[in-house]
Amino acid sequence: MKTVPETYVFTWKKNQYSWILLLLLSALTMSLFAGLFGLKYWDLVKLGDYKKIAPQSLIPLAALPLGFAFHFAMQKFFRSARLIVDSSGVRLEQLPGQGPAIMKFLERKILWADVKSVTYLSSFELIHLRSTPTMQPMSIRVKEWQLQKPDITLNARNAEPDLIKLFRELEVFESFSKDNSFDAATFDLMKHPATKKLLLLNGGLVIYSFLDSMLQHEGYAFFKPGPHELAAMSAAAIVAGLLLKARVRDYIPSGIVAGLAMMAAITFGVASYVGGVRINQLAGGPLLEAKYHRDEKCLKLLPEDKSLPVVEYTEMTTDYWCSRGIDEVQTVRVRKGLFNSYQFDLREQTKAIRDYKQKS
């Protein structure tokens, strides 16, 4: 059992920016939802055919009010809770009669006799106490708690929060081992020169892919994943090799190496698709107008010049194409790029389909 000379009681210190952070997190969640929603229904959105969007796809929006409700409940619990450190251990408990009984599930208790590891995650300003496998670990955000007795003088580093000072005074960090599984979490990506450069490069590729995809008006006639998968795997292998070489001088956890290699694979793979379209525009042939006709099933546009690729549509556009005569000439803008990769500029057709659906 850990020797603690007296009982130390900490009260919750409200974060004045908590609601701002919640709003920012909500905005990020909305952005991710919009991105995933757009990937699935982008064709329908472009065509203005909103009736075919599955209502259940909007269910994730319900997470926002639920998130606000949970945040409010947590704030209410912490206002009436006390964090207590004594000879028995560490416990977070609600004062009797100070809050709804339903919030009791947020209470935590861990005994010194059961503690297996104590880890301070400086990057997150979090103390993590792990006990026996059958008991739930306790995580404490140290800046949110202040000592209830301000007359007590703690001799640890003055700039540190009260709870860290107390744990240093009691030599808690020295008494218990550190959980090595958190090595990746405590690693500062922006302080290591290799990981910092890679993050900046990945960030640049993400920004480029997003902006250039918004500006482009052409797309591949046939999507071939092979070249982009090769670019992704090559990027992952190169990044992993460079990071493993860099960690000989300055240590990088293996989890960080694997995570960054996977991130590089995704960003380089996406950038290779966006960049490939742009390269074909700059280095490929001119954008020509070719004559096409719809097929009998109203799903394809067939070229008069058999050397050109077929334009394939989905069943979402059959109403429009069936309204056009099978002998009616459709002018499609097509470009022959590098390595016989064709691209279409179908803005005129997309606009015509959208206008048709809005009128019908």
Side-chain angles (χ1 to χ4, degrees), residues 145-197:
W145 299 95
Q146 58 187 356
L147 195 61
Q148 193 177 44
K149 298 178 181 179
D151 54 311
I152 296 178
T153 303
L154 298 173
N155 298 322
R157 306 169 192 174
N158 292 328
E160 292 182 322
D162 291 339
L163 189 59
I164 290 292
K165 292 180 184 178
L166 176 61
F167 272 37
R168 293 196 190 281
E169 290 270 322
L170 300 176
E171 298 184 343
V172 172
F173 298 120
E174 291 79 11
S175 302
F176 301 97
S177 62
K178 178 184 175 183
D179 190 344
N180 293 327
S181 65
F182 287 107
D183 282 349
T186 56
F187 182 80
D188 193 334
L189 292 167
M190 294 305 292
K191 286 187 177 179
H192 194 287
T195 57
K196 181 179 180 179
K197 290 176 183 177

Side-chain angles (χ1 to χ4, degrees), residues 59-340:
I59 291 177
L61 286 176
L64 291 178
L66 290 176
F68 277 97
F70 182 74
H71 180 76
F72 176 78
M74 291 286 287
Q75 298 264 318
K76 188 173 181 60
F77 169 78
F78 285 127
R79 279 197 295 268
S80 61
R82 296 293 181 269
L83 181 67
I84 300 171
V85 181
D86 57 20
S87 290
S88 63
V90 182
R91 62 185 186 274
L92 175 64
E93 59 187 25
Q94 196 173 26
L95 293 177
Q98 295 297 312
I102 195 174
M103 302 303 293
K104 287 285 186 180
F105 78 94
L106 291 173
E107 293 186 346
R108 294 288 183 270
K109 180 179 181 180
I110 186 167
L111 303 177
W112 295 123
D114 296 327
V115 174
K116 299 301 180 184
S117 64
V118 179
T119 310
Y120 177 46
L121 307 175
S122 56
S123 301
F124 304 96
E125 296 182 325
L126 199 75
I127 293 179
H128 185 84
L129 297 97
R130 186 182 294 276
S131 58
T132 58
T134 58
M135 297 180 66
Q136 188 173 2
M138 178 185 288
S139 295
I140 309 168
R141 197 169 296 279
V142 295
K143 273 199 169 182
E144 293 180 351
W145 299 95
Q146 58 187 356
L147 195 61
Q148 193 177 44
K149 298 178 181 179
D151 54 311
I152 296 178
T153 303
L154 298 173
N155 298 322
R157 306 169 192 174
N158 292 328
E160 292 182 322
D162 291 339
L163 189 59
I164 290 292
K165 292 180 184 178
L166 176 61
F167 272 37
R168 293 196 190 281
E169 290 270 322
L170 300 176
E171 298 184 343
V172 172
F173 298 120
E174 291 79 11
S175 302
F176 301 97
S177 62
K178 178 184 175 183
D179 190 344
N180 293 327
S181 65
F182 287 107
D183 282 349
T186 56
F187 182 80
D188 193 334
L189 292 167
M190 294 305 292
K191 286 187 177 179
H192 194 287
T195 57
K196 181 179 180 179
K197 290 176 183 177
L198 182 59
L199 284 179
L200 293 175
L201 177 59
N202 276 334
L205 286 175
V206 170
I207 294 172
Y208 161 73
S209 299
F210 176 78
L211 293 178
D212 202 15
S213 63
M214 295 295 102
L215 296 173
Q216 288 178 2
H217 302 296
E218 297 181 29
Y220 291 114
F222 301 106
F223 175 64
K224 298 178 180 179
H228 310 296
E229 292 175 350
L230 179 61
M233 290 187 292
S234 299
I238 292 171
V239 166
L242 291 175
L243 290 178
L244 290 174
K245 183 178 180 180
R247 80 171 184 172
V248 174
R249 184 189 308 173
D250 297 310
Y251 177 70
I252 305 174
S254 299
I256 294 292
V257 174
L260 290 178
M262 187 178 300
M263 182 190 299
I266 296 172
T267 54
F268 275 81
V270 173
S272 70
Y273 176 88
V274 179
V277 174
R278 185 64 69 187
I279 291 171
N280 275 342
Q281 288 179 320
L282 299 175
L287 191 63
L288 303 176
E289 293 184 347
K291 295 180 180 180
Y292 280 71
H293 300 270
R294 74 161 176 85
D295 68 344
E296 294 181 354
K297 295 182 179 180
C298 308
L299 290 174
K300 298 179 181 178
L301 295 182
L302 306 176
E304 290 185 358
D305 182 351
K306 302 304 180 182
S307 65
L308 295 177
V310 174
V311 182
E312 295 184 356
Y313 280 94
T314 65
E315 294 182 355
M316 295 184 295
T317 63
T318 52
D319 292 344
Y320 170 76
W321 289 117
C322 285
S323 70
R324 318 302 296 180
I326 196 168
D327 295 325
E328 183 179 345
V329 175
Q330 305 294 331
T331 302
V332 176
R333 305 178 75 189
V334 59
R335 184 195 306 274
K336 184 178 181 181
L338 301 176
F339 309 109
N340 290 325

Side-chain angles (χ1 to χ4, degrees), residues 20-81:
I20 297 176
L21 293 174
L22 182 62
L23 289 173
L24 290 174
L25 183 60
S26 300
L28 177 60
T29 303
M30 282 293 294
S31 300
L32 292 174
F33 170 77
L36 294 174
F37 182 85
L39 285 175
K40 186 172 183 180
Y41 295 110
W42 182 240
D43 288 336
L44 288 173
V45 173
K46 284 195 300 182
L47 300 175
D49 195 0
Y50 298 102
K51 294 180 181 179
K52 293 185 179 179
I53 295 176
Q56 58 266 29
S57 65
L58 301 175
I59 291 177
L61 286 176
L64 291 178
L66 290 176
F68 277 97
F70 182 74
H71 180 76
F72 176 78
M74 291 286 287
Q75 298 264 318
K76 188 173 181 60
F77 169 78
F78 285 127
R79 279 197 295 268
S80 61

